[in-house]
Amino acid sequence: MTDSYSIMLVGINAKEAHSVSTQLSRSGHSVITAVNIEEAKEKIRTQPIDITYLKAIEKDNALERLREITGINPSLPVIIVSDSPTENFILDTWRAGAADVISLPLTPDSMSTSLQRIAGRLPSREKDQTAPTAARFFYLDETGKENRVAITPPRFTMGRSSGNNLVISQMGVSRFHAEVSVQDGKYLLHDLDSKMGTFLNGTRIQRAPLTNGDRVQLGGLHGTSISFHSGDLLQSLLSLSDPKAEVGLSLYGFKEVGKLFATFRALSSIAVLDDLLALVVDTAIELTGAERGFIMLKEQDGNLNFRCARDNNKHPLDGSCFQTSKRVPQDVFKTGRPVIIKDLDFGQTSGGHDFTRQLGLRSISCVPLRYLTVRDSFNTSTVARTETIGVLYVDSPNIGAKMSETRIDALETLASEAAMAIYNARLYKDSQDKRKFDEQLATAREIQQALLPQPNKNLDFVCACSQSLPCYSIGGDYFDYFELENGHFGFAVGDVAGKGMPAAILASLIQGMFASQNLLGAPLHSIISNVNRNLVQRGTGNRFVTFFFGIIDPEGNCTYVNAGHNPPFLLSRNGSMKELQTGGMVLGLFAEAEYEAGTVRMQPNDHLVLFTDGVIEALNADEEEFGLPRVVDLLQKNALSTAEEILSRLQDSVLSFSAHVPQHDDITMMVLGYREART
Amino acid sequence: MKIDLRTVGDVKILDCRGKITLGEGTMSLRTTVRELVDGGSKKLLLNLAEISYIDSSGIGELVSSFASASNREAHLKLLKLTNKTQQLLAIAKLLTVFETFENEEAALASFQ
């Protein structure tokens, strides 16, 4: 839903193409048109196109045209737009590789529904941009300590200023010296017009791709040497432990390296948080020879909570058995510094830990889980900072003799990789949740569309057409038609304050209430009063509804109630206009509100024009409203047009007025033409 | 929207500035009114003179602020409606719901 596509319309008539492309470009898609198949083929060869809509009529060599297009790019989804396609035709186009078949006319609505269907099958854009393999720089900091930093897309900057991802405070290095960006899954190094230059493997460069093992120097050949490593972290570490390398990490224990190696591999592939936590705890226990361990994570309220506790047989433990040794993790979380206690009976750990010692614990290792976050690095007000998301803890009743420096290093390395993986797993879960929500939303939209009547309705004496464009997938506007038992024609337009899901739910409720009230045959004003009372009783949280309901009889008498709705216009053939205002206040606020009905007489070829405030309040790029005067002007000029023409001109006018501005409210309009019954 | 709060006697005057639309400042209006009412204020006056833009969702916010005040036996009145606000309230036929005033002294006097 968030993806935007480049869409080609082939052979669609100009009017339809215009209204459709206005709507599509508002949704962030780009639209190109091709008049005929030759132009289409040319454009497929020369331009990036994600989806093609091909108008093709059955008798008109439709399949041949389809094959001509798929012949050029077999993976391009082609949707056949056809005039009342037969079942056989649809089957044939499917066999010939069409992605879908929809029927003419092409409306913004049919288009967006079809697009949603197709988009579900297209590879997601985000995945499409080949994600680069993880990469990192190794460098020595001012104190001469070896360090590494993960290269975070989309832009990773280096320089003297604290706003950089990698800060190098050293002579010859400019404030923003160089940048690494990602293109087609590859890392590129750019010099940011630095004074002293950026060097790659000894050569000064402006812009060059980075490959594994490359040496980058900022500010001259004597400057800090940074080495670039992509791919698996452990592989980088192993290659760096080569004594010839300029920078190395003191990680030698073969077994630890092997264990970490396997764990890191797995970390990147586990998306489920609980599985990931279990693996991290198991690895930590094994690395340190501890008996049991756990992870605590920061919850939304900022407190630490047990998330995963395990013993050295890889069995889950109940978090409660750790309750008494909470002090250490809290300290580590607060200070961000690891606490390694090798033997509680000796040395520095007197006092404070007495209670812990009474528990029979002799050694404890607890390290923070943290990762580096950086926001927009060119905005100098933001600075990179580490985010501590929890702690990793292991303990043992044995004296921590096994806890060599190497193992502590390994534990810290594990913790920092784990923090990143936990962060990613949470992102993944969020995106899964969002996907689920989007699916539900799509279903809600289908239901809502199904609840609305067919937009066009023709009776002997009235011809009605409507259009509703929700601002989001679903909306709070609604319209309905009713053929009453006495042969009269009822129509309604409603607008729930607000938009999106909450408004849509309420709109459906009103539609249902109203449809059932309408069957009772009560007078118009008491129907409205009943609906109002019903709404107030249900306490819909101060949301109100504007509502217009009218009934036209075959003689052209229109009885109506306007409940706080933008007054519809009665448009006469001579261009004169009358606002229909009689009624009462908006629905849903005050139970005792009273309503009265008004009547107007329609002459043959007079029109009633109804709309919601989304029409009047449509904004253009300068934040001007479309406004009532534009509506009035347009209607007067179209007094002699048909209902459908008036509707489509009003819609085109509003949509082109607000082209390139995201729609900010639901837009609904209805036009009814009265004609003398033929009988 | 920005709200500055003044107190004159036992009347809280909320000087509103900026836009009242859905999602833009409307929460702050509702929240401010609720907090005042929760704090025991019974007399609220919304000064809308500096409102640059209001749409129908904004009207909804005025109404829901009014309703939540009324439910707690507090009075919420409107001061210096802009033309647009007046129009929208008229369309929704809600003008009669609110007590509205053109000048502050008259509004304050009406509370006594």
Side-chain angles (χ1 to χ4, degrees):
Chain A
M1 207 166 283
T2 51
D3 288 343
S4 59
Y5 297 105
S6 145
I7 297 165
M8 178 164 69
L9 306 175
V10 186
I12 310 289
N13 78 45
K15 190 176 155 224
E16 274 173 40
H18 172 73
S19 89
V20 166
S21 41
T22 315
Q23 179 68 8
L24 287 172
S25 49
R26 288 150 69 89
S27 318
H29 305 293
S30 59
V31 181
I32 57 174
T33 52
V35 179
N36 54 34
I37 202 80
E38 292 312 317
E39 191 183 340
K41 280 155 67 182
E42 177 61 26
K43 286 188 171 164
I44 293 171
R45 285 196 194 94
T46 54
Q47 299 183 26
I49 292 167
D50 299 313
I51 302 167
T52 294
Y53 283 80
L54 169 66
K55 180 170 168 185
I57 311 295
E58 185 167 4
K59 56 182 189 317
D60 207 14
N61 298 334
L63 298 181
E64 228 165 82
R65 288 148 157 257
L66 172 63
R67 288 195 187 101
E68 281 188 63
I69 287 186
T70 50
I72 298 171
N73 179 0
S75 62
L76 174 67
V78 180
I79 292 105
I80 299 292
V81 186
S82 187
D83 201 6
S84 45
T86 64
E87 207 172 306
N88 280 336
F89 175 65
I90 293 175
L91 284 175
D92 284 344
T93 55
W94 280 105
R95 286 188 197 112
D100 202 355
V101 180
I102 60 178
S103 55
L104 282 165
L106 202 55
T107 64
D109 223 37
S110 67
M111 187 79 186
S112 80
T113 311
S114 141
L115 203 55
Q116 263 177 13
R117 263 203 315 258
I118 296 301
R121 292 188 241 145
L122 289 177
S124 165
R125 261 314 150 71
E126 283 135 43
K127 275 182 228 150
D128 220 26
Q129 294 172 349
T130 347
T133 47
R136 58 205 69 80
F137 282 126
F138 289 91
Y139 63 100
L140 296 173
D141 67 15
E142 304 107 85
T143 62
K145 188 169 176 281
E146 301 143 351
N147 251 315
R148 70 162 194 279
V149 56
I151 299 172
T152 45
R155 284 188 343 205
F156 180 95
T157 61
M158 298 176 275
R160 208 152 35 79
S161 161
S162 65
N164 288 288
N165 301 65
L166 175 54
V167 179
I168 301 172
S169 23
Q170 185 190 273
M171 291 275 288
V173 176
S174 301
R175 289 185 66 245
F176 291 95
H177 194 107
E179 171 186 295
V180 179
S181 65
V182 175
Q183 212 170 358
D184 303 327
K186 292 198 173 65
Y187 290 91
L188 284 179
L189 176 67
H190 313 254
D191 180 70
L192 297 174
D193 291 332
S194 68
K195 218 173 191 174
M196 306 295 282
T198 299
F199 295 79
L200 181 63
N201 299 326
T203 314
R204 184 164 182 169
I205 56 108
Q206 285 305 318
R207 181 187 160 93
L210 284 167
T211 52
N212 203 8
D214 274 351
R215 196 157 51 99
V216 176
Q217 280 162 301
L218 305 185
L221 285 169
H222 301 291
T224 298
S225 175
I226 302 167
S227 62
F228 173 86
H229 284 269
S230 65
D232 204 285
L233 172 66
L234 247 288
Q235 252 154 7
S236 319
L237 293 178
L238 289 172
S239 74
L240 283 172
S241 62
D242 180 338
K244 275 176 280 177
E246 284 181 28
V247 186
L249 218 80
S250 41
L251 196 67
Y252 301 113
F254 185 74
K255 187 176 161 233
E256 284 75 19
V257 170
K259 181 63 201 162
L260 277 177
F261 188 72
T263 302
F264 289 165
R265 277 261 164 84
L267 280 182
S268 58
S269 63
I270 300 177
V272 180
L273 187 57
D274 290 336
D275 296 355
L276 195 123
L277 298 180
L279 175 68
V280 173
V281 174
D282 287 346
T283 309
I285 291 174
E286 212 170 305
L287 278 174
T288 56
E291 195 157 90
R292 52 182 202 165
F294 62 79
I295 280 177
M296 291 178 97
L297 293 181
K298 182 170 79 169
E299 301 297 330
Q300 271 172 350
D301 59 8
N303 290 325
L304 274 187
N305 251 329
F306 277 101
R307 281 305 299 267
C308 175
R310 317 261 293 175
D311 68 11
N312 56 2
N313 292 316
K314 302 191 176 177
H315 291 138
L317 290 175
D318 183 358
S320 63
C321 64
F322 290 100
Q323 288 302 330
T324 43
S325 49
K326 247 182 163 174
R327 208 200 116 137
V328 175
Q330 295 289 1
D331 282 354
V332 171
F333 179 66
K334 237 179 271 166
T335 61
R337 287 204 198 92
V339 168
I340 312 286
I341 302 166
K342 291 183 188 171
D343 187 349
L344 278 173
D345 278 343
F346 293 106
Q348 75 272 42
T349 58
S350 63
H353 291 291
D354 290 351
F355 187 62
T356 312
R357 188 169 54 228
Q358 280 163 25
L359 293 168
L361 296 176
R362 303 278 295 240
S363 76
I364 290 174
S365 311
C366 186
V367 291
L369 292 166
R370 58 183 168 175
Y371 61 86
L372 198 71
T373 58
V374 185
R375 272 164 287 159
D376 188 2
S377 54
F378 269 109
N379 182 345
T380 44
S381 66
T382 61
V383 183
R385 63 194 181 93
T386 51
E387 168 97 16
T388 306
I389 58 167
V391 299
L392 170 62
Y393 171 105
V394 288
D395 67 22
S396 162
N398 304 316
I399 297 172
K402 283 177 78 181
M403 288 298 284
S404 68
E405 287 297 319
T406 311
R407 289 198 175 91
I408 296 166
D409 261 4
L411 195 62
E412 287 196 76
T413 308
L414 172 68
S416 78
E417 288 300 304
M420 204 61 219
I422 290 166
Y423 175 74
N424 286 335
R426 283 178 166 172
L427 280 187
Y428 177 76
K429 183 170 180 303
D430 287 350
S431 75
Q432 289 292 94
D433 289 349
K434 173 151 188 323
R435 202 171 55 89
K436 215 178 279 170
F437 178 76
D438 285 348
E439 281 168 11
Q440 288 171 355
L441 201 61
T443 313
R445 179 186 163 82
E446 276 170 34
I447 293 171
Q448 193 181 43
Q449 292 295 319
L451 286 175
L452 292 179
Q454 285 297 313
N456 294 356
K457 180 105 182 164
N458 284 301
L459 297 182
D460 274 351
F461 61 98
V462 76
C463 133
C465 50
S466 301
Q467 180 65 263
S468 188
L469 304 171
C471 173
Y472 303 129
S473 292
I474 55 176
D477 280 4
Y478 109 97
F479 66 90
D480 213 346
Y481 306 129
F482 310 89
E483 279 182 79
L484 305 176
E485 274 180 21
N486 55 9
H488 298 182
F489 176 73
F491 57 96
V493 170
D495 177 2
V496 178
K499 47 203 166 184
M501 186 73 91
I505 291 169
L506 196 52
S508 295
L509 173 70
I510 289 159
Q511 189 179 14
M513 268 186 195
F514 193 75
S516 60
Q517 281 288 328
N518 204 23
L519 295 173
L520 300 176
L524 212 52
H525 61 94
S526 52
I527 293 177
I528 302 289
S529 298
N530 282 340
V531 171
N532 177 52
R533 254 195 310 279
N534 251 309
L535 278 176
V536 178
Q537 278 160 12
R538 277 161 213 262
T540 44
N542 294 328
R543 277 179 186 271
F544 65 80
V545 184
T546 76
F547 196 79
F548 187 96
F549 180 61
I551 294 174
I552 303 178
D553 71 15
E555 282 71 51
N557 297 303
C558 172
T559 316
Y560 68 90
V561 173
N562 181 345
H565 195 79
N566 287 98
F569 287 110
L570 171 60
L571 173 65
S572 304
R573 297 195 61 193
N574 62 12
S576 71
M577 293 172 63
K578 178 181 162 55
E579 292 192 338
L580 309 190
Q581 290 184 328
T582 315
M585 71 168 64
V586 291
L587 304 181
L589 290 178
F590 301 98
E592 64 278 13
E594 287 178 3
Y595 298 89
E596 56 173 326
T599 47
V600 283
R601 179 68 193 252
M602 294 179 78
Q603 300 300 327
N605 301 316
D606 281 358
H607 289 97
L608 278 181
V609 183
L610 298 83
F611 44 88
T612 57
D613 51 24
V615 171
I616 296 175
E617 290 176 355
L619 296 178
N620 67 8
D622 298 328
E623 298 221 328
E624 270 177 288
E625 285 190 354
F626 187 71
L628 210 51
R630 282 194 180 82
V631 177
V632 171
D633 187 54
L634 184 136
L635 294 182
Q636 277 170 342
K637 285 184 182 142
N638 288 281
L640 294 173
S641 308
T642 66
E644 283 191 15
E645 285 166 351
I646 294 173
L647 183 82
S648 82
R649 281 177 199 152
L650 183 57
Q651 183 186 329
D652 285 354
S653 175
V654 173
L655 293 186
S656 54
F657 176 80
S658 55
H660 312 300
V661 180
Q663 186 180 339
H664 76 129
D665 196 4
D666 307 327
I667 294 177
T668 298
M669 41 194 116
M670 176 187 285
V671 181
L672 303 151
Y674 170 69
R675 57 192 177 209
E676 254 169 325
R678 272 173 244 140
T679 49
Chain B
M1 184 181 58
K2 207 174 168 313
I3 302 175
D4 292 323
L5 194 62
R6 285 186 287 144
T7 307
V8 178
D10 54 354
V11 181
K12 302 283 182 203
I13 304 180
L14 291 80
D15 292 313
C16 307
R17 277 183 285 138
K19 294 181 184 180
I20 311 187
T21 59
L22 191 72
E24 204 157 347
T26 53
M27 278 313 282
S28 70
L29 178 61
R30 233 190 296 184
T31 320
T32 311
V33 168
R34 200 180 43 231
E35 279 168 6
L36 287 172
V37 174
D38 284 348
S41 301
K42 295 283 180 210
K43 299 171 182 176
L44 308 176
L45 183 60
L46 281 189
N47 178 4
L48 303 177
E50 303 287 315
I51 289 301
S52 58
Y53 183 81
I54 185 164
D55 66 5
S56 46
S57 310
I59 293 296
E61 292 305 317
L62 289 185
V63 172
S64 62
S65 301
F66 173 83
S68 65
S70 300
N71 290 339
R72 308 284 298 272
E73 278 151 19
H75 298 279
L76 183 141
K77 304 184 182 186
L78 304 182
L79 177 62
K80 293 181 186 157
L81 271 62
T82 60
N83 278 345
K84 180 79 191 289
T85 314
Q86 185 113 15
Q87 265 174 25
L88 287 172
L89 283 173
I91 288 173
K93 302 196 177 78
L94 287 169
L95 262 183
T96 51
V97 171
F98 291 98
E99 267 189 81
T100 62
F101 296 91
E102 270 312 299
N103 89 40
E104 196 171 310
E105 287 70 39
L108 289 172
S110 78
F111 279 110
Q112 302 315 317

